Structure formats: C-alpha cells, structure tokens
Amino acid sequence: MSLPAKEVQLLRAFVQMCRANASVLYSPDLQFFKEWLESMNADIPEKPESPPQPEKSESPEPEEIPTTTPEPAPKPEEEAESEESDLELDLQDVVEDDDEDMPEYGDETIEVTEEMMDDANDKRSEAMAAMSDGKLEEAVNIFTEAIKSNPMSALLYAKRASIYIKMKKPKKAIHDCTKAISLNPDSAQPYKWRGNAYKMLGKYEDAYHDLTMACKLDFDDLADELLHAVKPNAMKIMEHKRKYERKREEREIKARKERLRKAKEEYERQKQQSSGSNTGSAGGFPGGFPGFPGAGGAGGFPGAGAGGFPGAGGFPGAGQFPGPGAGGAGGFPGGFPGAGAGGPDLSSILNDPEIVQAFSDPEVAAAFQDISQHPENLIKYQNNPKVQALINKMSSKFGGPRGQAGGPGAPPM
C-alpha cells in the first residue's frame, strides 16, 4: 500500500534535510532515529565539529518576562467589634432563674371523658382561689392535677404559667406557654405570659414579638402595658443587630472583592507566563514541533536558527526555502515543491492558530509523536480526519499546487 503523496512529500523533505546537515542526527531528540538507522546498517557520517556560535544578536534568546509578584493590596480594616455590648438597656426588672426543671405535664395519649373535663374545670376554680389567697405553690399543684385530667387544655397550661410568673420562675412559664401554643396557636394568653417571662429574663426582642402577637390575637391592657415596657429595649437590640449585620455583609463583600482581585492577578500572571513561553523564540512551537523535535531552535524544527530548519534559521542555505533561481548555499535547488520564490515563512506556519489548536488535541499530538518515532506508521492515519486536516493545512503553508514555482530543480515526487 502506497503512502499519500503529501505524507511522502513531508518525509522526503526531512530526509533531504538530514542529508544536507548530518549533525541533525546527533541531536538527543533524534537519538531514536539515529539508532534505527544504525540498526539498518546505515552509513552515518561522523559528527562534525561544532561551528562557531553566532552572536547572540543574530539569534536572540527569549527574554524572560519578569513575573514580579504584585504587592498584596492592603487588607480591608475590619472594624473592631467590642466583646462588650455597646447597648444601654434598662435591666432593672430582670431576674435570675436557676430552676431548670421541667413542669409536670399530663398524659396526652389518654382519652379525655366529659367527667374528666368537669373534674379539670373544678380543679381550675380551686387553683384560682388558692392563687387569690397567695397560696402559689398550692395553686400550681392543683393546676397540675387539672392538667392530668385534661392534658389537651391549652388554657390550663397558660393559667399555670401565670402562677409561675408570680413565683418568678419564668423558665417554667415559658415551657407551659410553649406547650399551650402548640395545642392552640390562636390563644392570646400563652403569648402574653410567655412575653412577660421573656421580659423577666431580659430577652426583650422575644418578649416584643410575643406581646405583639398577644395584642393582635386579643387585645389586653396588661399585654399592651408589657409591650410598651419592652419596646424601647427591643428596638435598641434589633437596631444593634441590623448594624452589625450590615457590617458583616460589608466585610463579606470586601473579602469577596479581595478574592476576585487575587484570582484576577493570578490569572494575569499565568497568562503572562503562558504568553512568554509561547513567544519565547521566533516561530517555534513550545517543546518542539510534534514529529520534528526541536534540536537547535527553541521549540521548532531541528536546526540552529530560531525555531526553524537547520541552517541560519531555516533550511540549509540562505535562511529559508530558496525559490527558483535563488541559489541559496546548500539549499534545495529550485526550492521546496510548490513553494514560491523565497520559500514559506516558517513563523507563519508555527504561529498559525489553527495549527497550534490542532496540536493541542491529544489525539493529533499522539499521532504525530507516533509518526516521529515510526515513520512507517504514517499510513495508519491516512483515514484520520484530524490528522489529515492538519497535514493539509501544513502542506498549504508550503505553497500552492505542485509545480506552481518549483521549477526544474524541485525534488521529484
């Protein structure tokens, strides 16, 4: 099976390049190719003496782009938050309640009969009478018996809570009121007594919300009086929270902006480094052109020029592909097939965005690496559209159709 003409053309160009400059075979990147030739008993010329190094001005090394780390922007000064509250609250009515015991509840699983409900009502009357006489502990016990008779009565829990308020046991009152609200959320009394209990504990914001709800459900003079009593402190607390919430949000916004700034700087730094590595040498692919590892130029076809074929920056001869009659010293007679006068511009090949993009495809890069190590495998990729498209693109860079300007001196196809 014969190889496609374009692949043969590229392979012939490489062979002619090796003939013109045998020192290419001693490049470390072409060691595999030299060993293969030796295994075929090929006669390889001795390594010529290194020619005098050209002045750096002729083949300038890529200037390393300084990557100075930008000075970090000053961190936004966070407003110091005092551990002590800057609120001035009226705490004269606040009490200390160390009683952590839960009040006694009834069994909600029992079926409440009418007799049990009547008994609970009778006990409620007894408890209210005991409370009026100042017998608060006795009143609590009677209310507890009533609750056991009718554990689903929200009113009984609220009444017992009112006695706990008088006994300065706001924590138990809060438990009873919360239970009553769970049984009947539309009752105003549990909100009123719980709001009062919160007030006693200095929880003015919670007290304000409960007392507001109590007045909304069923206006009561005592609830309204309590609401007006807790409102000043509640407003101060809520404004205090809003102020620090605004500060917290401002700090988060500043921190987010700082993260974005650092991310942008890092992106620009990496972009600058990537740009520097891609343009470090005129026309060279970073790391060598797949299939033709760079031996002399920085990342281009093997050679001594900047990213080009061997010679002074291009094919042997006058630094490029000589065209008809150019007669470059040691160049191809008549130029590369199809190349116009002066040959192709290697920088236009190696900097072509479509070619660069094609070689970023791992499949294409692997294919050309395989071809570089095993030229006979070129036939494997003749039906690969990606590889063929890249070969056609590269071939078009070498000139138009065959015979356009090749002349008699063009290598035979």
Side-chain angles (χ1 to χ4, degrees), residues 9 321-324 334-344 397-407 410:
Q9 175 181 335
F321 291 91
F336 197 91
K397 290 289 184 178
F398 283 98
R402 180 184 173 186
Q404 178 179 344

Side-chain angles (χ1 to χ4, degrees), residues 58-69:
E58 296 181 5
S59 179
E61 294 184 0
E63 295 182 2
E64 186 175 347
I65 299 176
T67 56
T68 56
T69 303

Side-chain angles (χ1 to χ4, degrees), residues 85-91 198 202-209 230-245:
S85 174
D86 57 359
L87 290 173
E88 295 181 1
L89 302 176
D90 182 6
L91 304 176
Y198 281 137
K203 298 182 178 181
Y204 296 105
E205 187 178 4
D206 293 330
Y208 175 80
H209 292 309
V230 302
K231 186 174 181 179
N233 284 341
M235 293 296 103
K236 290 180 181 179
I237 293 173
M238 287 187 281
E239 179 58 30
H240 178 81
K241 287 184 176 181
R242 282 194 293 268
K243 180 179 70 174
Y244 280 97
E245 181 64 20

